[in-house]
Amino acid sequence: MGMFTSINIATTGMSVERLRSDVISNNIANVSTTRTPEGGAFKKSSVIVEPIASAHPTWRMPFVNAEQDNGPGKGVRVKEIVKDTSKGRMVYEPSNPDAIQSGPDKGYVEYPNVNIVNEMVNLISASRAYEANSTVIQGAKDMFSAALEIGRG
């Protein structure tokens, strides 16, 4: 583990949380979008995150079985951004131009599957995780400064 490892790891976390915030903001902005270029109502997106593991055979994670231990991490990265394909809420609005014209759902409009309360909770969570990673970076900088001061003394 190098001197700047903790900063690099926290930076990957900040990058992921920024992207999560962008995706969540897009979901909130499209909470009423009933027509998209792909057709149909907007479908909410979610960010899938995975660890960046390093092959470091000499160091083991504490309290983790050897079979599950990938060594110390190098941070996180976005694996993919996925669309939730579940059906949105249906509202009876026969005068709406996006209303279904035939079948058992005639006159209903499909609204996005975005729950504004859940999205706000997710946004707060992403914001707090971003702040926590920022605090790690500041703590590492303070620790490096203190080490330099000790070396001068």
Side-chain angles (χ1 to χ4, degrees):
M1 296 246 171
M3 186 168 94
F4 295 105
T5 303
S6 59
I7 292 176
N8 292 338
I9 291 171
T11 301
T12 65
M14 290 177 75
S15 177
V16 165
E17 296 306 330
R18 184 194 52 78
L19 180 63
R20 275 188 62 213
S21 295
D22 290 346
V23 169
I24 293 166
S25 297
N26 187 48
N27 290 342
I28 292 170
N30 285 289
V31 73
S32 298
T33 303
T34 58
R35 186 183 308 173
T36 62
E38 298 84 33
F42 176 82
K43 300 293 183 187
K44 80 174 193 157
S45 299
S46 298
V47 176
I48 307 296
V49 180
E50 67 180 358
I52 303 171
S54 66
H56 207 294
T58 59
W59 193 87
R60 282 206 7 131
M61 299 287 286
F63 311 113
V64 177
N65 295 335
E67 307 86 50
Q68 297 173 334
D69 186 11
N70 295 327
K74 289 187 176 180
V76 292
R77 66 176 169 212
V78 174
K79 182 176 181 181
E80 63 182 316
I81 298 175
V82 296
K83 291 276 188 187
D84 181 355
T85 58
S86 64
K87 194 168 186 173
R89 63 186 164 89
M90 301 296 281
V91 177
Y92 186 70
E93 292 179 358
S95 61
N96 189 316
D98 293 327
I100 298 170
Q101 299 301 317
S102 62
D105 291 335
K106 182 177 180 180
Y108 282 88
V109 177
E110 181 183 0
Y111 279 87
N113 56 357
V114 176
N115 181 325
I116 194 75
V117 174
N118 289 345
E119 295 301 313
M120 290 303 294
V121 169
N122 291 340
L123 188 58
I124 291 168
S125 172
S127 174
R128 297 283 160 81
Y130 187 93
E131 290 172 11
N133 282 300
S134 176
T135 302
V136 167
I137 291 172
Q138 187 59 48
K141 287 173 32 182
D142 292 345
M143 187 173 57
F144 298 150
S145 294
L148 288 172
E149 288 299 319
I150 291 171
R152 289 183 192 163

